[in-house]
Amino acid sequence: MTDSSVNNPDGRARLLKLPSVFLILPSLFLSALVIGYPIFDVLRMSISDVNRYGHVRGFAGVDNFLKIFNDPIFLQATNQTLIWTFCVVGGTLLISVPIAIILNGNFFGRSVARTILLLPWAVSMAMTAVVWKFVVNGDFGMLNHTLETFGLIDTKIPWLADATFAFAIEILVGILVSMPFTVTILMGGLSAIPDSLYEASSIDGASHWQKFINITLPLLRPFLQISVVLNVIYVFNSFPIIWIMTRGGPANKTDILITYVYKQAFAFGRIGNAAAGSVMMFAILLGFSLLFLFITRSPKETL
């Protein structure tokens, strides 16, 4: 160490920063290894001829991608994935915003209400799907029994045997399990809005709707953006609900891309096709994230 570096304030600052950089290097290396290697391996298999045991037999170019694009079930699963993601994320936001506003207010029993709302988050998604599978069972499910008791139906309805009913029920279950996380994010945003803004608007005679449009919604925008991006990634890759309740059936009418990829890999032994499908899923999510961030960037970022 030279005398000049010790006496120079900038030099001392650089020396003090060096140890912290070395401390995070192991974490950076481990993160790159854990995240980077699976991505590299999937990319490698997507352009390789792979047998059902995962052994690479040679270079295949874009053959695996051509196979899945010529598969009508892949295109059907892609369409159903977009419907599934849009409905679950949209429904979750529509329900979560008013619930977060209510829970952010002061009322008797607010702590109990918050705890009840978070309960679905504490239960595993697989367990939630199992419970709802029993609830909507066509033979002994509680839903049919309740509807019969109130005289709304005469015969039992096989809910999960009909693709329309099954997909709608799975979307409702997806909204249920996504709501606690979204409400928690939005409540964090609502708690950061100063009460003085609402008090000043009340003096000016603003209605509740005007306060919501002009104060709550603009200030809640960053938290809504975070909720949308995280929920889209989370729901797009959500596997347990669809798989446990219907396994993509009947006739692949409730398949989404993640269940399609799983079947290709572990049911049919088409590892290359599954890797190509995974790459397409990654590309769709990456494209959505970049497009969403570009569209929703703040006006200051465009200057």
Side-chain angles (χ1 to χ4, degrees):
M1 185 183 302
T2 63
D3 293 340
S4 60
S5 65
V6 174
N7 296 328
N8 186 351
D10 293 337
R12 286 201 301 272
R14 282 196 295 271
L15 288 173
L16 288 173
K17 289 178 180 176
L18 278 177
S20 60
V21 173
F22 284 117
L23 285 174
I24 64 171
L25 276 180
S27 300
L28 289 175
F29 174 75
L30 189 61
S31 299
L33 184 67
V34 171
I35 298 171
Y37 178 73
I39 294 176
F40 164 77
D41 205 35
V42 169
L43 288 172
R44 182 176 65 95
M45 286 194 290
S46 69
I47 56 173
S48 302
D49 179 17
V50 190
N51 68 12
R52 63 181 304 111
Y53 304 108
H55 295 150
V56 176
R57 295 183 293 201
F59 181 69
V62 294
D63 286 353
N64 293 325
F65 291 95
L66 293 177
K67 286 177 185 174
I68 62 170
F69 278 114
N70 288 324
D71 184 359
I73 298 177
F74 171 77
L75 301 177
Q76 178 182 325
T78 303
N79 183 47
Q80 287 163 186
T81 303
L82 297 178
I83 296 172
W84 155 261
T85 306
F86 177 80
C87 291
V88 173
V89 175
T92 300
L93 286 177
L94 283 177
I95 296 174
S96 297
V97 170
I99 290 177
I101 292 174
I102 293 170
L103 291 180
N104 193 54
N106 290 319
F107 60 90
F108 178 75
R110 184 177 68 167
S111 299
V112 176
R114 288 182 174 183
T115 304
I116 292 173
L117 180 79
L118 291 176
L119 279 179
W121 201 8
V123 180
S124 73
M125 196 182 297
M127 184 58 70
T128 303
V130 169
V131 169
W132 278 99
K133 186 176 181 178
F134 278 104
V135 168
V136 298
N137 185 282
D139 297 322
F140 51 82
M142 190 175 66
L143 180 59
N144 274 338
H145 178 70
T146 304
L147 294 176
E148 283 181 329
T149 302
F150 285 100
L152 298 175
I153 58 173
D154 297 325
T155 57
K156 296 182 185 300
I157 300 175
W159 299 101
L160 297 182
D162 183 285
T164 305
F165 284 140
F167 205 41
I169 289 169
E170 287 167 344
I171 287 172
L172 291 176
V173 176
I175 293 173
L176 175 68
V177 299
S178 303
M179 201 170 55
F181 172 71
T182 309
V183 169
T184 303
I185 291 178
L186 297 181
M187 283 174 60
L190 289 169
S191 63
I193 299 176
D195 292 335
S196 58
L197 294 177
Y198 294 107
E199 293 168 0
S201 62
S202 297
I203 294 173
D204 292 338
S207 64
H208 290 294
W209 177 250
Q210 288 172 325
K211 291 177 186 175
F212 174 74
I213 294 296
N214 297 312
I215 299 176
T216 305
L217 211 52
L219 295 179
L220 208 57
R221 177 182 167 184
F223 299 89
L224 288 169
Q225 292 174 356
I226 294 171
S227 301
V228 169
V229 172
L230 293 181
N231 271 314
V232 165
I233 296 172
Y234 178 70
V235 172
F236 190 89
N237 292 315
S238 182
F239 178 78
I241 295 174
I242 300 288
W243 187 254
I244 290 175
M245 294 189 74
T246 58
R247 293 182 181 266
N252 303 108
K253 294 293 181 61
T254 62
D255 253 329
I256 58 175
L257 282 175
I258 188 70
T259 57
Y260 172 83
V261 167
Y262 182 85
K263 287 178 180 177
Q264 291 291 316
F266 301 107
F268 307 131
R270 302 168 185 162
I271 305 297
N273 290 9
S278 300
V279 171
M280 291 310 304
M281 290 178 64
F282 178 74
I284 292 171
L285 278 179
L286 182 64
F288 164 79
S289 301
L290 294 176
L291 181 64
F292 184 81
L293 290 175
F294 177 77
I295 293 173
T296 59
R297 60 182 174 172
S298 65
K300 291 181 180 177
E301 293 174 347
T302 61
L303 296 176

